Amino acid sequence: MLPRYLVYGLIDPRSTMIRYVGQSSIGMTRPRKHKRKPISDTSHCANWIRSLQRISLEFAIVVLEVCLTKEQLNGAEHWWVIYGRLSGWPLTNMTAG
C-alpha cells in the first residue's frame, strides 16, 4: 500500500535543489497537481513552475517524509521548510508551513 500522508519537495531540474516543500493527505496526487497550476495563480511557486514550463522543463518530486497520521503533517512540513531554509534551499514557500 502506498503512503497517504506525505511531506514532499519539488525539485528544480536545473539546479537539482528543492524549491518547494508541501504536504499531502492524498499521497502523490497532491504533488502531481502542481503541474496543472492555473494561470490565475500568481504565487511564487506557480511562477517558478511556469518558468520551467516555458523552457519545456518539469520539476521532479521527492518524498521527504511519510507520516502515519494527518495530524503529523503540519509539524513535519514546518520542520522541512525550516531545515531547507537553514540548508540554503531557494524555497518558494512563503511561510514555514
Side-chain angles (χ1 to χ4, degrees), residues 77-89 91:
E77 179 188 27
H78 180 80
W79 187 92
W80 279 102
V81 170
I82 297 298
Y83 175 82
R85 286 189 177 144
L86 291 174
S87 297
W89 298 350
L91 295 178

Side-chain angles (χ1 to χ4, degrees), residues 5-6 11-12 14 18 20 24 26-28 31 38 44 47-48 50 55 59 64 72 74 78 82 84 86:
Y5 304 112
L6 308 173
I11 300 173
D12 191 313
R14 300 167 293 189
I18 294 176
Y20 179 78
S24 175
I26 53 175
M28 291 300 287
H44 193 40
N47 289 335
W48 164 68
R50 280 193 291 276
I55 56 175
F59 59 81
L64 299 171
Q72 295 173 322
N74 286 338
H78 180 80
I82 297 298
L86 291 174

Side-chain angles (χ1 to χ4, degrees), residues 9-22 44-45 48-49 51-52 59-60 89-94:
L10 303 182
I11 300 173
D12 191 313
R14 300 167 293 189
S15 65
T16 67
M17 295 191 78
I18 294 176
R19 294 297 312 273
Y20 179 78
V21 173
H44 193 40
C45 181
W48 164 68
I49 291 168
S51 76
L52 291 177
F59 59 81
W89 298 350
L91 295 178
T92 60
N93 294 70
M94 298 306 292

Side-chain angles (χ1 to χ4, degrees), residues 19-63:
R19 294 297 312 273
Y20 179 78
V21 173
Q23 63 172 276
S24 175
S25 60
I26 53 175
M28 291 300 287
T29 302
R30 171 72 180 115
R32 289 182 185 126
K33 283 186 178 184
H34 287 284
K35 293 179 182 180
R36 297 182 301 277
K37 286 277 188 187
I39 295 295
S40 60
D41 185 343
T42 59
S43 69
H44 193 40
C45 181
N47 289 335
W48 164 68
I49 291 168
R50 280 193 291 276
S51 76
L52 291 177
Q53 292 169 338
R54 279 193 294 276
I55 56 175
S56 301
L57 293 176
E58 210 172 85
F59 59 81
I61 302 167
V62 62
V63 174

